[in-house]
Amino acid sequence: MTVRASFLPAAFRCAILAPAKPAISASDLAEKRAKFLRGWEESNMRILKLAGAILVLSAPANAQIVAQPSAGTHQRAVAAGYKAALYCSGIFNAGRTPAQIDADELAGIYPEYDKIVPALAATVDNDLRSVAVTFDPQLPPRRATWSKGHGCVTLPIGSKIPTARESAGAPSVAGADPRRWPQGDAGISPRSLPALARTIGGAFDHAYGAGTKTVGVVIVQGGRIVAERYASGFGPFVSNRTWSVGKSIAGTLIGMNMAGSINDPASVPQWKAGDPRQSITLDHLLRMASGLHSDTAGNRTDAIYFGGTAVDEQAVSWPLEALPGTRFRYANNDTLLAVYATRQAIGEERYRRLPDSLFAPIGMAHTVAETDWHGNYILSSQVWSTARDLARLGLFWLQDGVWEGKRLLPEGWMHIMTTASGPQPANGPGYGATLWLFGPEQGLPKGSFAAQGNRGQFVMVIPSRQVVVVRRGEDGGAARFDIARFAADVAAAL
């Protein structure tokens, strides 16, 4: 075969066409290799010295070396806020003890805080109705402060003293209301049905999810409580956090206090003229279809819940990443923005009374909605309530927003809350306007719906059976309670 040297790279042409050289001896080869390595090391050292000199010469003469904070400082601050918030609300809203809160509300929390929280020291001030949690020697402790009727507010990281609030009042846990059920607590006498008792026992014995921790169950049928049970440390007048059941409370309150149409653009003053987010409607927000970006799937909003950041600082700042109304993405921010937009639409005086427009008329006397330090209700999560009060809420929904013969919700609003419209979750139950939609695919009658929250909070309504199932939990870690199977078993037992 003839090889044309013109088609080869220059190095190969030289190798092929150059005259042959005498073979080099092994000793000469070793010496050349050693000489090469010495030269290579000396060259590298000269480069490193030159780079060091350049760095020194380029630095200002008075430059200071600033120690960077530990990567975990902010995480510890949020963890301290988590403990302050749960201690404050648990003690002053619910009458719980720190030991009980450690064992239940603070057990199995988010992994990044789970190991930090137990090591943080908390100071409870019963006179100021305040909790302080130390997290860093250079910064003030994280604080949460309580006031009567408003629950606890978590202050920003770095706050030295509690902000001025209304008089704290006496932290008393309300007892039984002498009025008859459902307005009050008189006349409640659950019937003894062995099959129902066994089913409810299974909820407390982990039959509906490994590692779950049920702390309360109330079953309503035909308007009356037919079964009720609580774990140690809880009871009919001991509240715990609703988590995302608060979203369904928000949807109800917005319906009762609507200003304008659900299809009107959301009233968010930070979205100025020309801002594409002005096309987001209240309906989009209630249906998790805003199209807004958020930092995590599910959008945990830890900065607002535990970091002391206000709704009008963070929730309003996220940009669009999808056209409004084209994508379902479960996000706390959508609910927070819906409530914030309602604040702008109805005015401050009416907004201050927003929770009472629902809680007072239907007897939810052991329920409190909390705010951030700017006064924004955090109705995506931060509501404390009892199993009985949530049973009242479920009964209110079951009765189409009518209570003791009086219509409180506009006619048709429950249809909006329980009807799928627009984009839906990829799998599992459907979604209406702040309520989850169940049916035969989940083993339940068509038309069933539920409010659901973190750590196993559920209010399941089965209209065809006139049944409300409330399950309160403190499920830690990866534990998941199977509410559909439990509700189906309850209906079968009845």
Side-chain angles (χ1 to χ4, degrees):
M1 179 178 70
T2 303
V3 178
R4 297 177 59 188
S6 60
F7 287 104
L8 296 173
F12 283 92
R13 289 203 307 272
C14 291
I16 292 172
L17 301 177
K21 294 181 179 180
I24 187 170
S25 68
S27 59
D28 289 342
L29 181 62
E31 184 179 348
K32 287 179 178 290
R33 183 182 294 115
K35 184 176 180 181
F36 169 78
L37 290 174
R38 285 194 301 272
W40 181 78
E41 289 174 353
E42 291 172 359
S43 176
N44 275 351
M45 288 301 297
R46 285 194 298 271
I47 291 171
L48 288 172
K49 289 178 180 178
L50 178 61
I54 291 171
L55 288 173
V56 170
L57 291 173
S58 63
N62 61 347
Q64 295 178 337
I65 299 175
V66 179
Q68 294 298 314
S70 161
T73 300
H74 181 69
Q75 193 173 84
R76 285 177 60 81
V78 177
Y82 199 129
K83 188 165 190 172
L86 271 292
Y87 263 38
C88 182
S89 298
I91 292 168
F92 299 118
N93 287 339
R96 305 265 290 157
T97 68
Q100 289 173 326
I101 295 166
D102 289 339
D104 294 316
E105 287 90 342
L106 287 176
I109 60 175
Y110 297 133
E112 60 266 47
Y113 308 134
D114 198 27
K115 292 182 180 179
I116 301 173
V117 164
L120 299 176
T123 301
V124 178
D125 189 324
N126 288 296
D127 293 328
L128 289 177
R129 320 287 186 240
S130 176
V131 177
V133 179
T134 303
F135 70 98
D136 187 284
Q138 303 298 321
L139 289 169
R142 296 300 313 282
R143 288 185 180 273
T145 62
W146 180 90
S147 66
K148 193 173 182 65
H150 301 283
C152 293
V153 60
T154 302
L155 302 183
I157 298 169
S159 294
K160 294 183 179 180
I161 57 173
T163 56
R165 303 190 77 199
E166 295 179 24
S167 173
S172 59
V173 179
D177 185 324
R179 293 175 293 180
R180 293 190 63 81
W181 170 267
Q183 195 68 28
D185 299 293
I188 296 174
S189 54
R191 58 187 177 182
S192 178
L193 292 175
L196 184 57
R198 284 194 297 270
T199 300
I200 293 173
F204 286 84
D205 295 336
H206 320 298
Y208 296 95
T212 56
K213 183 189 289 187
T214 299
V215 301
V217 169
V218 173
I219 310 297
V220 175
Q221 184 186 39
R224 59 187 292 267
I225 292 179
V226 296
E228 185 175 28
R229 180 176 167 181
Y230 298 96
S232 175
F234 290 87
F237 311 121
V238 178
S239 63
N240 58 330
R241 186 170 169 136
T242 65
W243 296 93
S244 288
V245 167
K247 293 179 172 66
S248 305
I249 293 174
T252 307
L253 288 169
I254 288 170
M256 294 175 66
N257 295 272
M258 178 70 66
S261 167
I262 192 173
N263 295 311
D264 290 341
S267 301
V268 179
Q270 288 85 349
W271 298 346
K272 305 296 184 183
D275 191 323
R277 294 172 296 182
Q278 287 192 329
S279 61
I280 299 171
T281 66
L282 193 59
D283 187 65
H284 293 147
L285 295 173
L286 294 175
R287 297 184 185 279
M288 303 294 178
S290 68
L292 291 172
H293 174 73
S294 51
D295 51 0
T296 59
N299 185 217
R300 275 176 26 188
T301 56
D302 292 13
I304 293 174
Y305 288 178
F306 312 115
T309 302
V311 170
D312 52 336
E313 292 174 326
Q314 189 189 59
V316 300
S317 66
W318 296 105
L320 282 176
E321 65 177 7
L323 288 175
T326 64
R327 180 197 70 178
F328 177 90
R329 188 170 193 261
Y330 187 79
N332 296 331
N333 278 329
D334 280 19
T335 303
L336 292 169
L337 286 167
V339 177
Y340 179 67
T342 300
R343 180 180 190 176
Q344 311 309 309
I346 66 177
E348 284 300 300
E349 184 177 350
R350 191 174 170 190
Y351 182 75
R352 290 291 103 223
R353 303 193 305 268
L354 185 71
D356 283 342
S357 66
L358 172 65
F359 300 165
I362 73 171
M364 295 176 68
H366 305 86
T367 302
V368 61
E370 297 180 331
T371 72
D372 64 23
W373 70 292
H374 287 182
N376 299 295
Y377 286 112
I378 308 179
L379 291 177
S380 59
S381 171
Q382 214 155 307
V383 181
W384 283 67
S385 188
T386 64
R388 278 191 188 177
D389 275 5
L390 292 184
R392 291 180 173 96
L393 179 62
L395 183 59
F396 179 66
W397 290 334
L398 182 62
Q399 296 170 169
D400 192 40
V402 174
W403 194 260
E404 295 192 327
K406 182 179 180 181
R407 174 162 290 285
L408 302 179
L409 265 178
E411 191 168 0
W413 188 259
M414 281 307 303
H415 178 74
I416 290 173
M417 289 182 70
T418 58
T419 301
S421 175
Q424 288 293 296
N427 49 58
Y431 200 75
T434 72
L435 284 168
W436 294 92
L437 312 178
F438 289 74
E441 289 185 2
Q442 291 79 39
L444 288 165
K446 184 179 179 180
S448 301
F449 59 88
Q452 303 187 140
N454 187 30
R455 298 179 68 82
Q457 321 309 319
F458 298 101
V459 184
M460 175 70 74
V461 180
I462 309 176
S464 64
R465 300 293 299 275
Q466 291 293 293
V467 168
V468 176
V469 177
V470 176
R471 188 269 182 175
R472 307 304 309 276
E474 290 297 343
D475 304 335
R480 296 292 181 270
F481 186 87
D482 190 342
I483 186 58
R485 185 162 63 90
F486 178 61
D489 289 350
V490 165
L494 289 170

